[in-house]
Amino acid sequence: MEDESSPKAEDLRSALLQPTGCSEDGDERIGVDEMLQKYSGEFGPWQLRHFALVSLAWALDAFHTMVTIFADREPAWRCTGPACSDVDVCQLEPGSWEWIGGREVSTVAEWGLVCGNKYKIGLVQSAFFAGCMVGCGIFGHLSDSFLGRKGSLMVGCVINTILGCLTAVSPSYTIYLILRVLTGLCTGPMGTTAFVLATEPVGRARRAAVGMSVFYFFSAGIVALATIAYLFPSSWRSLYLITTLPTLFFIVAILPFISESPRWYLIRRKPEKALEIMRSITKKNGRSLPDHVSLVLDCDKSHGDTNSIADMDIDISGSIIDVIRSSLTRWRLVLSTIISLFCSVTYYGLTLNVVNLKTNLYMSVIVNSVCEMPAFTLATLLLGRFGRRPLAIGTMWFSGAFCMAGSLMGGDGAMAVGRMACGMLGIFGISATYNLLLVYTAELFPTTVRNAALGCMQQAEQIGAVVAPMVVVMGQGLPFVVFGLCGIIGGVISFYLPETFSQPLYDTMAGMEHGEKAREGA
């Protein structure tokens, strides 16, 4: 099987390498990708260690995002009076029944979120994802500007630690709802910031595989969360406190050993700090970096070799307006955001829908999460063989087909197990799509507007995550119908996106338009 690190794939990427610039005094001026490939190593011990440390933030993301599955679960109940029978609690008189384990086992029991108030469960989850949607915009800007990737990750973790502790002592449902919105503001961008921080120091040949691999940590985080919830089932407040402590540990014991992105330093016109990190990478990877080599931005190479990066004032930024103005990228943006929306509804919906499967909650969550992991591996292996577009179409249709099959099964006995199996296979397919979209979208747009385009995609994902809990509360087979349609329609829309495998990663809008015209002419 040919993967993206094969010699043939390397030949296809040769056009991506920019010509090395040399100043009059013989200094070699190259970009980060060139330095990684030529001197520092594209993925050595330094990148492996940095990747593992940074990606732990994805496990924290899983804790803060999925904790409501267990904290907001509806516990079992029992009759306490003679006039009580095994029917719906909504038909019983108050005082004739009680929650098994007491009111403190979940928010549903403590605040009576059943019957006419059941919608409040979905409201909490949707409000959290609405906070994520806003947070992606706020922290996306901060990450690109003065805070940087590491600074944004640190601020988000500190705030989430405080909010997690406050949530554990929420005096009312309203306060609980507000705190979950605020938690979403910091949690939503956490994974994305970690993704960028983990992949930016990695060379071009290994970046896609590394980018896909960060999601193993999110799935592992869900498994760990389910295990913690199983071990501490008696109090939802204790669950929030316990799942917040790892974030505090991350701040104290992990963040000091994480490096800022050299690309961010270079964009911020701090080449000395960027070069310092690159020298550290080179040394830890057992290589050597000549003294005459210096870092330079692609856009600076045409401005002469005698100028210093720090002394230039070149506009290297881009905005979403630039994407919309270009007919080439406008439809790419529209289509990729719609696909991301449908994918997110299906992914988060299937994850949260375990409460409707009438099976063991803890085991269902663990099984669904474990099913995601081989999907990541398979998608990574197939990226270099089939390309991005066919893989996106196939995984979405695979998920949609099994969701439709799950909608035709009942919710009791063997049919419940069959529905759970369909949900597992649906998760398997949509997980591969969900992760692939980050890599795919990054390749669809040039560097000057890539972050803006990814921000729009992430906003669409959060909108889908807001919708998903409301679909889940419909119960029974209807959610599977919605998830199935989202997968099938998303796959159809993917047909209209261009293939990006073996294509250059363009730096500017003009370069992309020129390259695409040449490609069409050929």
Side-chain angles (χ1 to χ4, degrees), residues 184-457:
L185 282 171
C186 299
T187 302
M190 183 182 293
T192 304
T193 303
F195 173 86
V196 173
L197 192 56
T199 56
E200 283 192 335
V202 178
R204 192 182 291 113
R206 302 293 182 182
R207 197 172 301 140
V210 171
M212 293 291 290
S213 299
V214 299
F215 299 99
Y216 286 108
F217 290 82
F218 187 82
S219 297
I222 297 178
V223 173
L225 171 64
T227 304
I228 294 171
Y230 177 78
L231 296 175
F232 299 93
S234 59
S235 172
W236 68 269
R237 297 180 184 275
S238 297
L239 180 61
Y240 266 103
L241 185 60
I242 294 169
T243 54
T244 298
L245 293 178
T247 307
L248 178 61
F249 175 82
F250 182 81
I251 296 169
V252 175
I254 304 298
L255 268 174
F257 300 98
I258 291 176
S259 172
E260 180 56 88
S261 168
R263 298 176 191 273
W264 179 78
Y265 276 131
L266 200 58
I267 290 294
R268 298 296 293 177
R269 303 300 187 180
K270 298 178 181 179
E272 298 84 6
K273 291 188 176 182
L275 188 58
E276 181 181 342
I277 295 174
M278 296 303 297
R279 291 191 183 280
S280 177
I281 295 174
T282 306
K283 182 179 179 180
K284 294 294 184 182
N285 287 348
R287 296 178 174 231
S288 61
L289 185 63
D291 293 334
H292 69 273
V293 177
S294 61
L295 282 173
V296 63
L297 286 167
D298 289 342
C299 64
D300 293 334
K301 292 181 180 179
S302 61
H303 286 76
D305 299 319
T306 59
N307 294 329
S308 168
I309 293 176
D311 295 335
M312 293 182 184
D313 187 22
I314 303 170
D315 185 10
I316 57 173
S317 63
S319 70
I320 200 64
I321 301 299
D322 300 313
V323 179
I324 297 173
R325 283 175 178 168
S326 170
S327 59
L328 177 65
T329 56
R330 183 188 308 126
W331 285 109
R332 292 185 180 190
L333 179 69
V334 172
L335 295 176
S336 61
T337 52
I338 293 175
I339 294 168
S340 297
L341 172 64
F342 286 151
C343 180
S344 181
V345 171
T346 306
Y347 176 78
Y348 283 106
L350 286 172
T351 302
L352 298 173
N353 196 55
V354 293
V355 298
N356 290 328
L357 296 180
K358 297 183 179 180
T359 55
N360 184 280
L361 179 62
Y362 307 101
M363 185 57 64
S364 296
V365 171
I366 290 175
V367 169
N368 277 353
S369 299
V370 171
C371 283
E372 296 181 11
M373 298 183 184
F376 306 155
T377 304
L378 185 62
T380 302
L381 294 174
L382 295 180
L383 272 175
R385 184 176 181 86
F386 296 105
R388 280 55 166 161
R389 182 173 61 183
L391 196 57
I393 296 170
T395 52
M396 292 199 81
W397 281 359
F398 182 90
S399 178
F402 279 101
C403 286
M404 283 298 188
S407 69
L408 302 177
M409 298 183 181
D412 299 311
M415 297 299 284
V417 176
R419 179 178 288 180
M420 184 180 75
C422 288
M424 290 165 48
L425 291 170
I427 281 282
F428 179 89
I430 207 64
S431 296
T433 313
Y434 195 86
N435 302 339
L436 170 63
L437 285 178
L438 267 180
V439 177
Y440 195 5
T441 304
E443 295 174 345
L444 284 169
F445 300 91
T447 302
T448 53
V449 294
R450 188 169 293 130
N451 284 342
L454 280 171
C456 285
M457 185 202 77

Side-chain angles (χ1 to χ4, degrees), residues 461-490:
E461 287 178 352
Q462 299 307 327
I463 293 174
V466 170
V467 174
M470 294 303 181
V471 177
V472 170
V473 297
M474 296 176 182
Q476 301 304 318
L478 187 56
F480 275 96
V481 175
V482 176
F483 305 148
L485 288 175
C486 286
I488 293 171
I489 296 173

